[in-house]
Amino acid sequence: MRKTTRFGLSAALALCIGASAAFAENIKIAFIDPLSGPFAATGTDGLHQYEFAAEELVNKKGGVLGGKKFEIVPFDNKISPKESLIQLQVAIDQGIRFIAQGNSSGVANALTDAIKKHNKRNPDKRVLFLNYSAVDPALTNDKCNFWHFRFDANADIKMDALTDVIAQKPEIKKVYIIGQDYSFGKAVAAAAVKFLGQKRPDIEIVGNELHPIGKVKDFTPYARKIISSGADAVITGNWGSDMVGLGKAILENGFKGPLYTYYAASTGITAAFGEAGKGSLKLVGEGQINPPPNDRADAYATAFKAKYPDDDLGQPRIANVIEMLAKAIEQAGTDTDMVAIAKALEGMEHDSIWGGKVWMRPQDHQAIQNVHIFAHTDGVKHDFDNSGYGLLVESTVEMAGKDSPTTCKMKRP
Amino acid sequence: MTDATHNTARSASITFGQFLPWLVSALFLLVMPLIFPSNAALTIMNQMAITIVFALAYNMLLGQGGMLSFGHAVYMGMGGFMAMHIMNWIEFHELPIPLPVLPLLAGLFALGLAMIIGSFSTRKAGTVFAMISLGVGELIAACSVIIVAFFGGEEGVSGDRTYGLPFFGIEFIRQIEVYYLTAAWLMISAVLMYLWSRTPLGRMANAVRDNPERAEFLGYSARWVRFYSFCASGFFAGIAGGLFAINYEIVTEENLNLAQSGMILLVTFLGGAGFFFGPIIGAILFTLLQTVLSLQTEIWQLYLGILFVATVMYFPGGLAGLLMMHTIPLRLGKLHLLFVPYLKMLGPALLCVAGFVGVFEIVFHIRNAAPGDTEMTLFWITFDSHDVLPLAVSIIAALAGFWLARRVVPELSAAWTAANTPDTERLI
Amino acid sequence: MDLVLINLIDGLVTGLLLFMLSAGLTLIFSMMGVLNFAHASFYMLGAYFAYQISTYLGFWMGLLIAPLLVGVLGALVERYGLRRVHQYGHVPELIFTFGLALLIEEAVQFVWGRDRVPYEIPEVLEFTAFTVSGFAIPAYKVFMLFISVAIFILLLWFLTRTRVGLVIQAALSYPRTVEALGHNVPLVFMGVFGVGTALAGVAGVIAGPVLSTFPGMAFVLGSIVFVTIVIGGLGSLSGALVASLLIGWLTTFAKSYNVRAEDLLNAIGISTPENLDESLWRDLWTITSPQIADILPYILMVLILVFRPHGLFGKRDA
């Protein structure tokens, strides 16, 4: 990078930041997600899962690099890309070098771009982006960069797994695809059409449509249309109130077939569906909680519920994020050299607490792991929303998407 | 709500007294980064500067033209989107356009849009105008997730401001360089908008606001006066959008939605729509509230809402109006009469506000904190939120403060009347 | 064909619900010249009050008490808020109601939290009333229909057959004369504001369980209500009814049929460009009617305001 004109202020600036960074004893992780507004519940859940994972999986075991503790510092981005960039700036100014974010691919796209630019412009203060939840495939394809790591399976991989299951159900002959009108909704629809065409060309896609995000007051007309199309199954990537509205309208108006979803659980959604969703509602995701894969996972989930009775372990991958980051820092032997830590994370194979392995694929920094199809049902050990209902693993795709193609051309420093 | 008290006969030549505030502001903008050099502070100052430009532009409609718009964020947002696209085009085609002129291009694009929309929306003032602005605002905001080619969907459009071609050796890599660019545009826009308000057209906008029929009788078309104000306002809003694009390097749907339009109305009215500098105060205060207060408390928007409604009800002139109420006592040399009653009022008022804040925060903590977490800190005191004592103290403080403040009111209003009444000798 | 019938019913329910809101709003506007931006907030308060009451006394008491509470609150707002701001002029009035909308949303979040509250349909009404060729019509929908029609008839009777109603009608056109005749116009204003907000409260009580009760519910519905009365013509009650039904059916039908812009454009003789993905207009070609269903009312409103500023049935334009 070329040197530019100096205002004479930069020295003072550097001093100021250097001073604050020098006092950082703990290894701080900035958690940038919505903590106020309509998605505050999801954000707060995530924050508690991070705090719990850091405490339980790292700090109680003596920390990393001979005693350094993990500390989660929350920043409220109000789920706005603009606010996220401001908070990112504040976090970097405080000397924080690890950024965790997950809710909304729009925010993740803004952050990964900003972090790429920041790292290019400030090679001495580089940061890493730990994306634990934003699943827009573009993040590990066209928009991939060396500083971004995704710990969730992306929308394509999840759809690949989902269609594997649908392909084995001969009774499904007609499928209806509906989603929110934005990048993620479109990605889900495109992936569904592609994989269904490959695996079950005989399935007829009787509807493929998008509705305005967060604006639909009454989903009844959509439900009518879906039922009148004679669909045997519905696939949707909806989340939040759009998921509750659509799902309830479909089930209330008499739909009996399976409803394949990405995000129909926890933060009030499981409770809202309750008995109505049993038998119909299916989810694709990672992280097996029910039945507990091993004693360690069982104890972890029980301890979490004891500490945060109102929250759910809705994003189990957060445990992987913390464990893998700790491992990478140990391997690199530093908590300041981001290139070394990123190189340690690349290609890492990790035994997940939730059973199975997690492999951080070096080509695109996409975590490859087991992907499950869950059923919304009662009588599970670890329920959501304290409703008695929760997610039970129905089937599993081992190391889903291990050989999935990527268009990522990773530029390494 | 007017600033028509100015002596127009003098305004032909610029006196030092008129020039001084601008000089002070410019110096202030130059020195600020020396006092607050951290990147986060620079980000907040940039945010302030952008909000100031936008609020001043909005006030050309609301304060000077009397036109209430519920969709003005559209022009800022569209300017921002255009700036972002131009930024990307320049990088792609390697065109010789330096970054600092980008806000101008954004402004021109917003001007074009304002001319199209304004051609039919400014035919009527009042409710019809407000409703059309709302409808157009909702339409464009809704289009932004549908028309992905221009708006980039929900993730917006992003770019890189450091696309090469240094401007006198500056590449705009560091925050401080962007700050000075933003500050320069702030000064230029503010001066231009001020001069606009001094032109005959700016004066006519006031006349059309107050009495359109009379203005028509004078031979001015109220409709065209509104149209020109609208276009100029759109232009400066576009400049704010361009500055936003340069600062954040991303523009999204939330830059032009209804919430953003409502925000700027709030900012402008809080600061005071009746005075040129009102929106500036509003923008600074709002940005501070948004960044500083939101770190202190989760329910800052509740406080903001209360403040806003109270302002509309009791101080329709906003903060600027409140300040300018004191010019008469100042001219009469009687400002000192108000000091003692103000001080007497300050104590009870603070006590009352602190009491109410205490009640809100304690109730909020009881309802929302994690179970088992009963410890909270307020006003540097740490206590158990589930205890009765802190809540009781807060309620008593609020009531006592209110009661004491009520008791000072007669004294205050007497002092106010005295301070605003000229001495009889002086009149003779 | 069956779908048409079912959509007519669904659209009617949506339309009548909208009418309950727009009726109060247009009544307030024609009396006082105030466009009450916070009208949808009173609708939200209705839903939340009813939820809170229903947890103690059940749904039916909620239906009875909540609208009254909302009406009283509305009257208080008029008496102590709006009347004060009235002296400053129309624009501050509009800004006041806008600020009130913000404040009510924040207050609701403060009291009931940010998530949706579990306000559900009463069990008595949780069955399928009848089926139209395979499509279920829930009993609650029939109940909503019944309530809205009842309110409409009541309102009509009140305005045309009672003394107070006649005074209100007179005060609509000649407030000064009515005052000179010895009627207490400020009291009438307060009453109208209270009744209007109570109507919004009723709408909230019955819509809360189906459209879900959450702090954003006022925002989602708020601007649509304005659009309705602007399309219908400011100050016209019958216009509000026609516009409400129009919007109800328009959005319902747009959502249940997949009309693609490409087909429409082809039908009028414009052929699809060869390389659609490259074209700047590509998004225009792929638009479907469900995508734009919720913005159709806004398009309609802007067109109406441009070509017929009085609205469909209005006699005056603000």
Side-chain angles (χ1 to χ4, degrees):
Chain A
M1 208 170 73
R2 280 167 293 173
K3 282 277 168 209
T4 53
T5 43
R6 277 182 178 281
F7 278 74
L9 295 169
S10 48
L13 202 90
L15 253 177
C16 196
I17 289 161
S20 65
F23 289 110
E25 265 301 327
N26 290 344
I27 297 174
K28 288 183 184 169
I29 301 169
F31 176 85
I32 305 183
D33 257 325
L35 299 171
S36 66
F39 301 103
T42 319
T44 318
D45 251 22
L47 174 63
H48 290 158
Q49 290 175 62
Y50 262 103
E51 282 170 344
F52 186 75
E55 190 58 37
E56 204 72 10
L57 302 174
V58 176
N59 297 354
K60 274 194 183 162
K61 293 177 179 161
V64 289
L65 298 178
K68 285 194 174 181
K69 299 272 164 69
F70 273 10
E71 183 187 342
I72 312 293
V73 188
F75 293 89
D76 180 11
N77 71 0
K78 307 174 180 81
I79 207 148
S80 132
K82 172 188 131 191
E83 193 62 32
S84 307
L85 298 192
I86 297 178
Q87 298 303 335
L88 173 70
Q89 191 64 54
V90 175
I92 293 173
D93 279 0
Q94 289 182 9
I96 300 176
R97 313 295 288 275
F98 302 98
I99 311 293
Q101 182 271 343
N103 291 305
S104 164
S105 293
V107 173
N109 274 316
L111 275 180
T112 195
D113 242 21
I115 286 172
K116 189 169 97 187
K117 278 179 237 167
H118 169 86
N119 286 351
K120 199 173 97 191
R121 293 171 196 173
N122 308 279
D124 51 334
K125 294 198 294 276
R126 284 172 176 152
V127 297
L128 277 195
F129 180 18
L130 311 167
N131 165 10
Y132 69 93
S133 221
V135 298
D136 183 354
L139 284 164
T140 46
N141 282 295
D142 294 347
K143 291 186 179 168
C144 76
N145 71 60
F146 184 68
W147 316 105
H148 166 265
F149 291 88
R150 165 151 53 201
F151 291 84
D152 196 0
N154 71 34
D156 283 350
I157 295 176
K158 285 185 179 177
M159 185 53 76
D160 196 0
L162 193 59
T163 44
D164 277 351
V165 172
I166 295 177
Q168 286 158 18
K169 291 189 191 280
E171 69 272 20
I172 296 178
K173 299 211 168 52
K174 290 177 175 175
V175 168
Y176 204 103
I177 306 165
I178 180 168
Q180 292 152 318
D181 192 2
Y182 80 110
S183 60
F184 170 63
K186 284 176 191 165
V188 169
V193 172
K194 186 179 117 197
F195 288 122
L196 282 178
Q198 285 171 5
K199 294 172 191 170
R200 279 285 298 278
D202 61 309
I203 286 186
E204 185 191 352
I205 294 170
V206 288
N208 181 2
E209 72 169 314
L210 303 167
H211 66 77
I213 172 170
K215 284 218 168 61
V216 179
K217 295 179 286 289
D218 185 4
F219 277 96
T220 310
Y222 293 100
R224 302 268 190 234
K225 193 162 44 171
I226 291 169
I227 294 165
S228 75
S229 73
D232 302 313
V234 176
I235 299 178
T236 178
N238 278 15
W239 44 265
S241 61
D242 281 344
M243 181 64 239
V244 179
L246 178 72
K248 282 184 90 174
I250 291 178
L251 296 173
E252 261 169 24
N253 287 300
F255 183 72
K256 294 279 178 272
L259 181 57
Y260 292 106
T261 70
Y262 277 56
Y263 294 115
S266 190
T267 57
I269 299 180
T270 302
F273 278 107
E275 182 65 26
K278 196 181 162 189
S280 276
L281 209 55
K282 312 282 175 197
L283 247 88
V284 58
E286 43 59 60
Q288 173 172 355
I289 299 180
N290 293 307
N294 52 51
D295 291 347
R296 190 169 161 241
D298 192 19
Y300 185 81
T302 310
F304 180 81
K305 203 67 187 173
K307 189 160 183 195
Y308 301 103
D310 287 342
D311 292 327
D312 295 319
L313 218 47
Q315 294 159 323
R317 53 198 168 272
I318 288 172
N320 296 338
V321 179
I322 292 294
E323 281 194 323
M324 288 173 78
L325 178 64
K327 226 189 218 176
I329 291 176
E330 284 289 4
Q331 268 179 28
T334 166
D335 61 343
T336 49
D337 183 359
M338 292 303 129
V339 180
I341 298 171
K343 290 226 162 103
L345 261 179
E346 268 191 339
M348 179 186 282
E349 268 195 43
H350 171 71
D351 291 313
S352 170
I353 183 172
W354 310 112
K357 277 195 188 315
V358 181
W359 174 51
M360 187 54 78
R361 191 160 69 172
Q363 294 94 310
D364 56 355
H365 292 186
Q366 166 68 52
I368 302 296
Q369 57 200 318
N370 294 351
V371 171
H372 312 282
I373 311 296
F374 302 100
H376 167 100
T377 181
D378 54 357
V380 293
K381 182 152 191 209
H382 302 287
D383 66 344
F384 280 164
D385 300 330
N386 303 322
S387 62
Y389 291 87
L391 299 179
L392 185 71
V393 170
E394 267 194 349
S395 54
T396 300
V397 178
E398 298 273 339
M399 297 309 261
K402 192 169 186 196
D403 307 312
S404 58
T406 173
T407 56
C408 174
K409 292 186 189 69
M410 188 74 71
K411 283 196 195 110
R412 292 183 168 75
Chain B
M1 299 225 331
T2 65
D3 48 357
T5 45
H6 263 270
N7 190 342
T8 35
R10 264 194 320 169
S11 65
S13 63
I14 297 167
T15 62
F16 183 68
Q18 282 173 318
F19 185 62
L20 191 65
W22 296 105
L23 195 67
V24 172
S25 322
L27 278 176
F28 185 71
L29 284 175
L30 273 176
V31 174
M32 276 307 272
L34 298 179
I35 308 170
F36 301 105
S38 83
N39 267 346
L42 287 175
T43 310
I44 292 175
M45 285 193 277
N46 283 342
Q47 172 73 23
M48 264 181 208
I50 295 166
T51 316
I52 290 174
V53 176
F54 188 24
L56 282 174
Y58 185 76
N59 203 36
M60 291 175 86
L61 286 184
L62 180 67
Q64 290 165 33
M67 300 191 288
L68 177 61
S69 166
F70 285 114
H72 212 55
V74 161
Y75 305 96
M76 175 177 172
M78 289 296 262
F81 274 108
M82 203 57 212
M84 221 65 238
H85 283 300
I86 296 175
M87 211 185 265
N88 288 334
W89 281 332
I90 294 173
E91 195 181 2
F92 189 72
H93 297 291
E94 295 176 1
L95 302 176
I97 302 173
L99 188 78
V101 302
L102 214 56
L104 182 68
L105 299 177
L108 289 175
F109 181 75
L111 174 68
L113 184 73
M115 282 166 76
I116 298 171
I117 307 286
S119 65
F120 59 86
S121 75
T122 56
R123 263 190 243 161
K124 289 276 180 338
T127 313
V128 173
F129 174 79
M131 288 295 108
I132 295 187
S133 70
L134 177 78
V136 171
E138 281 275 2
L139 260 185
I140 295 186
C143 283
S144 66
V145 282
I146 297 174
I147 302 177
V148 182
F150 184 78
F151 295 102
E154 134 284 2
E155 70 208 40
V157 184
S158 51
D160 188 350
R161 65 175 175 238
T162 62
Y163 51 68
L165 205 69
F167 181 72
F168 294 113
I170 305 169
E171 274 185 300
F172 300 102
I173 286 178
R174 287 176 308 148
Q175 200 75 3
I176 186 86
E177 295 161 344
V178 178
Y179 169 78
Y180 280 112
L181 174 69
T182 314
W185 270 106
L186 167 63
M187 276 314 282
I188 294 170
S189 322
V191 168
L192 284 178
M193 279 187 264
Y194 182 73
L195 290 179
W196 169 278
S197 73
R198 303 287 109 184
T199 60
L201 190 60
R203 295 290 190 192
M204 273 323 292
N206 290 356
V208 168
R209 169 196 65 195
D210 296 335
N211 197 330
E213 284 88 6
R214 268 206 200 169
E216 294 259 353
F217 277 127
L218 287 174
Y220 291 94
S221 157
R223 190 218 157 156
W224 286 109
V225 170
R226 278 196 294 265
F227 177 72
Y228 291 132
S229 301
F230 187 76
C231 290
S233 175
F235 172 71
F236 287 109
I239 287 186
L243 290 174
F244 185 94
I246 292 175
N247 260 287
Y248 295 101
E249 301 178 289
I250 182 169
V251 187
T252 61
E253 183 263 349
E254 65 178 305
N255 285 103
L256 39 72
N257 64 15
L258 199 61
Q260 184 75 4
S261 300
M263 183 279 288
I264 203 64
L265 166 64
L266 195 143
V267 166
T268 310
F269 203 83
L270 215 54
F275 300 92
F276 183 80
F277 64 92
I280 303 181
I281 301 178
I284 293 173
L285 183 77
F286 178 81
T287 316
L288 280 180
L289 282 179
Q290 198 184 24
T291 48
V292 179
L293 195 63
S294 70
L295 289 181
Q296 303 300 322
T297 165
E298 276 188 61
I299 48 173
W300 67 279
Q301 281 167 314
L302 180 69
Y303 298 131
L304 189 68
I306 295 173
L307 183 67
F308 182 55
V309 171
T311 308
V312 184
M313 282 178 68
Y314 300 104
F315 306 106
L319 281 172
L322 201 61
L323 283 179
M324 294 305 275
M325 273 162 67
H326 294 85
T327 45
I328 297 172
L330 186 69
R331 277 203 206 129
L332 295 172
K334 288 188 166 184
L335 207 54
H336 60 276
L337 287 179
L338 291 168
F339 277 143
V340 178
Y342 272 7
L343 275 180
K344 275 190 183 169
M345 190 59 148
L346 189 68
L350 280 181
L351 186 67
C352 179
V353 171
F356 275 114
V357 168
V359 174
F360 285 146
E361 292 290 337
I362 290 170
V363 172
F364 184 77
H365 191 267
I366 292 173
R367 296 178 55 101
N368 291 290
D373 175 20
T374 59
E375 195 176 82
M376 70 177 285
T377 306
L378 187 67
F379 300 127
W380 308 278
I381 308 164
T382 304
F383 53 86
D384 180 354
S385 65
H386 287 59
D387 219 355
V388 186
L389 185 70
L391 192 61
V393 167
S394 304
I395 293 172
I396 291 169
L399 294 179
F402 187 70
W403 183 70
L404 285 172
R406 281 292 288 268
R407 276 173 54 107
V408 190
V409 168
E411 194 188 335
L412 186 69
S413 61
W416 180 254
T417 320
N420 279 286
T421 320
D423 294 328
T424 30
E425 309 89 276
R426 216 184 266 181
L427 274 178
I428 304 161
Chain C
M1 201 53 220
D2 304 330
L3 204 56
V4 173
L5 189 64
I6 207 88
N7 281 329
L8 279 176
I9 298 174
D10 284 340
L12 186 68
V13 176
T14 316
L16 284 177
L17 188 72
L18 208 53
F19 173 69
M20 252 192 275
L21 280 162
S22 49
L25 188 63
T26 203
L27 213 58
I28 292 170
F29 176 78
S30 37
M31 291 273 339
M32 319 166 67
V34 182
L35 260 185
N36 181 13
F37 230 92
H39 204 69
S41 308
F42 287 103
Y43 149 87
M44 170 160 78
L45 281 180
Y48 271 96
F49 285 171
Y51 158 71
Q52 199 61 58
I53 296 166
S54 72
T55 54
Y56 300 114
L57 303 170
F59 178 84
W60 303 103
M61 286 311 274
L63 181 63
L64 208 63
I65 302 173
L68 291 179
L69 282 180
V70 174
V72 169
L73 200 71
L76 288 177
V77 164
E78 199 282 331
R79 175 66 187 81
Y80 294 103
L82 212 52
R83 203 174 291 182
R84 199 192 161 84
V85 185
H86 190 70
Q87 52 185 324
Y88 307 134
H90 271 330
V91 169
E93 267 180 327
L94 212 53
I95 297 178
F96 171 75
T97 59
F98 173 78
L100 195 67
L102 288 184
L103 187 58
I104 292 180
E105 186 174 332
E106 291 304 324
V108 162
Q109 290 192 12
F110 179 75
V111 179
W112 285 283
R114 290 176 180 120
D115 287 341
R116 60 185 288 279
V117 293
Y119 179 34
E120 304 292 349
I121 296 171
E123 274 181 32
V124 196
L125 290 175
E126 253 186 303
F127 61 93
T128 305
F130 55 90
T131 34
V132 180
S133 54
F135 295 106
I137 304 282
Y140 193 76
K141 238 171 198 172
V142 181
F143 165 74
M144 281 170 82
L145 212 61
F146 175 73
I147 292 274
S148 347
V149 171
I151 293 232
F152 175 63
I153 292 171
L154 204 68
L155 201 65
L156 205 66
W157 170 80
F158 175 74
L159 281 178
T160 53
R161 294 280 181 274
T162 65
R163 212 180 123 69
V164 185
L166 292 178
V167 172
I168 289 175
Q169 283 205 13
L172 285 182
S173 339
Y174 304 106
R176 292 267 168 270
T177 321
V178 172
E179 198 158 12
L181 286 171
H183 294 288
N184 188 348
V185 171
L187 187 71
V188 174
F189 276 12
M190 197 171 99
V192 167
F193 204 89
V195 171
T197 47
L199 279 181
V202 179
V205 177
I206 63 171
V210 272
L211 301 185
S212 94
T213 308
F214 62 103
M217 66 189 288
F219 185 77
V220 171
L221 204 63
S223 32
I224 284 287
V225 182
F226 284 100
V227 170
T228 313
I229 69 159
V230 171
I231 291 177
L234 291 170
S236 160
L237 212 53
S238 46
L241 178 65
V242 172
S244 303
L245 293 178
L246 188 69
I247 288 179
W249 278 319
L250 193 67
T251 48
T252 309
F253 275 98
K255 277 175 201 166
S256 32
Y257 292 95
N258 271 331
V259 182
R260 281 169 60 85
E262 192 173 355
D263 303 334
L264 276 184
L265 288 170
N266 285 340
I268 58 168
I270 306 170
S271 57
T272 315
E274 295 270 316
N275 43 358
L276 198 57
D277 288 339
E278 301 287 307
S279 166
L280 268 179
W281 302 103
R282 59 177 185 259
D283 295 308
L284 189 68
W285 288 90
T286 53
I287 287 176
T288 60
S289 62
Q291 260 182 307
I292 57 163
D294 284 300
I295 53 172
L296 280 177
Y298 296 101
I299 300 178
L300 196 62
M301 172 174 96
V302 172
L303 289 179
I304 289 233
L305 281 174
V306 171
F307 294 108
R308 194 183 154 80
H310 312 294
L312 291 179
F313 288 79
K315 289 177 198 70
R316 58 181 191 187
D317 51 53

